[in-house]
Amino acid sequence: MQSHNRGLLAVDKQGNRVLFLDPDTFAVQQELNAFPPRPHELLMLPEQAKAYVPIYGDGIHGDNPHPGHKVAVIDLRERLIRGFIDLSPLQSPHSGQLGRDGKVYLCCENSAAVAVIDPVSDTVEKIIKLPSHNAHRLTLSPSGRKLFTENEEDASITVVDLCEAEGRIIDNILLPGPISGIAASPKHPYLVASAADAPLLYVVDRQSHRIRQRIKLAGHQQPCQVVRFSANGERLVAIGDQEPVITLFDDLLNPLGDIQVGNKPMDGCFSADNRTLLIANEGDGTLSVIDLQKMQVVATPTAGTGCEVLSYFHIK
């Protein structure tokens, strides 16, 4: 089988499949479709030449009658499904991140817990229980010392000290209302959480755990959900929820402008050179290809039935 070291992986949630796309033309090169319902998020692990795709279940947040309990392991080099990690009894695995310690930290929403996975052996090493009703998304400080979970309707962010072996809860930050997204700046000592009840971002100090700023999303009529930094921390994107608009910020959170995208944008990814931002439009099965210098959409290729999340990859 042909090997590849550069590509673009997209999770087609509506099509219940994972797509390998050409990173230049966005044409579908290969399709993987042997998934339980439904693949829902994506975590790249280039050192292991693999990706994790959580199997969330057949519903959505707040209405997931058959929650999943597995994570699909995708071989990026051979472009196939290597197997599944069974997280039972944990349910509804969602967003995850690779820590500085080489472990994967993965939110399990319905279980209000974080699974800690060894990506070399693909085994669960421990479980960190959270003082919340659910755990939607997480982010880690660049040092890897702290983990922050976004707890949606609980209107809180749980702070976990990862310097202690079992992971100790050290704070539960209360916010004015529910939140739906979270991301730590790779460059500055703050994290950003998106309000779930208004077009607003909360900026939280990573050290004091206090809200230091509220940013209104003037170009949005609805709350946004996903907030995502570029790898170097120079750009932040806030992606509209059920609204075809995104807002870009610089590293100091100065707004750079709003850009209209496709129907039901869900998530996005920055290219390695930070010249391009891709937005997955789940509602119409397209991608919005954004030139970050021109601050405009330069192409709208079709990709699957309705992709939720995608990421470039490069493996040695």
Side-chain angles (χ1 to χ4, degrees), residues 12 34 38 67 76 124 205 210 229 244 248 310:
D12 183 0
R38 293 184 177 175
L76 296 177
V124 178
D205 189 283
R210 295 179 181 272
F229 282 96
L248 281 157
L310 72 172

Side-chain angles (χ1 to χ4, degrees), residues 28-41:
V28 176
Q29 295 179 324
Q30 193 162 336
E31 174 183 321
L32 304 179
N33 54 22
F35 295 96
R38 293 184 177 175
H40 202 67
E41 287 283 336

Side-chain angles (χ1 to χ4, degrees), residues 49-112:
K50 66 176 69 168
Y52 282 174
V53 177
I55 307 301
Y56 179 77
D58 58 2
I60 59 175
H61 173 74
D63 183 18
N64 190 20
H66 305 101
H69 56 88
K70 294 181 179 180
V71 175
V73 182
I74 310 298
D75 186 318
L76 296 177
R77 199 179 305 279
E78 301 300 332
R79 303 196 169 191
L80 51 79
I81 303 172
R82 277 291 173 206
F84 293 87
I85 304 170
D86 192 339
L87 302 177
S88 299
L90 300 180
Q91 295 182 343
S92 303
H94 200 243
S95 76
Q97 191 171 333
L98 180 66
R100 290 287 295 271
D101 57 1
K103 307 302 181 184
V104 168
Y105 294 84
L106 184 72
C107 273
C108 294
E109 185 175 297
N110 285 18
S111 303

Side-chain angles (χ1 to χ4, degrees), residues 33 66 74 113 153 163 173 203 209 221 248 264 271-272:
N33 54 22
H66 305 101
I74 310 298
E153 289 87 355
C163 294
I173 306 168
V203 184
H209 306 160
Q221 300 299 313
L248 281 157
K264 197 180 177 183
S271 61

Side-chain angles (χ1 to χ4, degrees), residues 77-263:
R77 199 179 305 279
E78 301 300 332
R79 303 196 169 191
L80 51 79
I81 303 172
R82 277 291 173 206
F84 293 87
I85 304 170
D86 192 339
L87 302 177
S88 299
L90 300 180
Q91 295 182 343
S92 303
H94 200 243
S95 76
Q97 191 171 333
L98 180 66
R100 290 287 295 271
D101 57 1
K103 307 302 181 184
V104 168
Y105 294 84
L106 184 72
C107 273
C108 294
E109 185 175 297
N110 285 18
S111 303
V114 173
V116 184
I117 302 171
D118 180 352
V120 176
S121 63
D122 296 326
T123 55
V124 178
E125 292 196 337
K126 61 186 175 185
I127 297 169
I128 302 172
K129 295 294 292 182
L130 303 169
S132 62
H133 291 94
N134 57 56
H136 186 225
R137 300 182 189 276
L138 61 75
T139 189
L140 276 72
S141 62
S143 67
R145 298 172 65 90
K146 288 181 180 179
L147 179 150
F148 303 84
T149 67
E150 165 259 294
N151 304 325
E152 288 218 310
E153 289 87 355
D154 283 7
S156 67
I157 296 172
T158 298
V159 188
V160 182
D161 182 354
L162 296 180
C163 294
E164 299 196 15
E166 297 306 312
R168 181 170 66 92
I169 309 298
I170 58 173
D171 204 352
N172 207 48
I173 306 168
L174 299 181
L175 297 171
I179 53 176
S180 58
I182 193 168
S185 169
K187 188 175 180 181
H188 298 295
Y190 62 76
L191 57 89
V192 174
S194 55
D197 57 356
L200 178 72
L201 302 179
Y202 299 108
V203 184
V204 179
D205 189 283
R206 282 206 314 265
Q207 302 303 320
S208 68
H209 306 160
R210 295 179 181 272
I211 297 174
R212 54 188 278 185
Q213 188 179 0
R214 292 169 172 83
I215 301 174
K216 292 183 178 180
L217 297 170
H220 297 241
Q221 300 299 313
Q222 304 293 329
C224 77
Q225 184 176 163
V226 172
V227 284
R228 187 173 293 280
F229 282 96
S230 59
N232 63 3
E234 291 290 335
R235 293 290 182 269
L236 170 72
V237 61
I239 301 174
D241 187 17
Q242 306 290 335
E243 187 176 21
V245 62
I246 67 164
T247 300
L248 281 157
F249 298 85
D250 67 13
D251 65 309
L252 297 177
L253 301 181
N254 297 305
L256 300 175
D258 304 319
I259 300 174
Q260 296 296 309
V261 293
N263 184 28

